Amino acid sequence: SRVEVEKQRQEEGTARHFLAEMLHRGAIGLLRGIKVADQETGISPPRLSALSVLVFGGPQSLASLASAEGVKPPTMSKLVAELEGIGLVEKSPDPNDGRGLVIAATRQGKKIMLAGRDRRLALLKDRLAGLTDREIARLEAAAPILLKLARREP
């Protein structure tokens, strides 16, 4: 009946809301827990985020980097200048656009980012050590779904 269908929709909506709330709390908690590793670099979160895009995503144009970070090009230009000033990125002419530049992480920028990634992974591995084999298996099964959710555009 229509009443049963509506009741089922409400129950599903409540279950999805609960799941969304749990995922949100879990993601925030994990991020806060591993943020410590990033603070050890002494580099601000916006700079680290831009550097991460370059290290793990490869060289980018300023417009592409700004888009990836969700900021306007002038804001990204300032961040890039700051990163360049401390030797973590370098600019070179764009071979496909004579007026454009390609921004890439330097060897030092890659070293800092990879060391930070290693620290974050170590913190996560420590947390995983406290889980049961059954919990680990459930996380392994859920990991591809979490990655799928992380890639989805809002």
Side-chain angles (χ1 to χ4, degrees), residues 79-145:
L79 280 172
V80 167
E82 293 167 353
L83 288 167
E84 187 178 31
I86 56 176
L88 301 182
V89 303
E90 57 193 1
K91 295 185 249 178
S92 60
D94 184 338
N96 300 319
D97 178 359
R99 299 171 298 157
L101 294 172
V102 174
I103 303 152
T106 62
R107 187 182 343 244
Q108 181 65 17
K110 290 176 186 173
K111 182 179 173 185
I112 286 172
M113 190 53 57
L114 292 173
R117 181 177 186 264
D118 288 346
R119 285 191 303 275
R120 287 188 302 277
L121 290 176
L123 288 169
L124 284 170
K125 284 192 250 181
D126 285 348
R127 287 184 175 209
L128 290 172
L131 300 179
T132 66
D133 289 343
R134 184 166 187 254
E135 289 170 324
I136 293 291
R138 291 175 74 187
L139 275 176
E140 286 174 340
I145 299 167

Side-chain angles (χ1 to χ4, degrees), residues 5-22:
V5 169
E6 184 57 34
K7 183 178 178 185
Q8 184 177 357
R9 280 190 187 143
Q10 288 175 352
E11 288 173 0
E12 287 173 1
T14 301
R16 286 178 191 250
H17 179 81
F18 179 74
L19 176 59
E21 178 68 27
M22 295 295 287

Side-chain angles (χ1 to χ4, degrees), residues 17-70:
H17 179 81
F18 179 74
L19 176 59
E21 178 68 27
M22 295 295 287
L23 287 170
H24 180 262
R25 289 175 55 201
I28 295 296
L30 282 173
L31 287 172
R32 285 182 180 149
I34 62 173
K35 183 170 65 171
V36 173
D38 290 339
Q39 292 170 339
E40 292 177 21
T41 66
I43 300 169
S44 72
R47 289 180 186 171
L48 274 178
S49 185
L51 182 60
S52 176
V53 171
L54 295 171
V55 170
F56 299 112
Q60 313 250 335
S61 69
L62 183 71
S64 174
L65 186 56
S67 176
E69 290 296 281

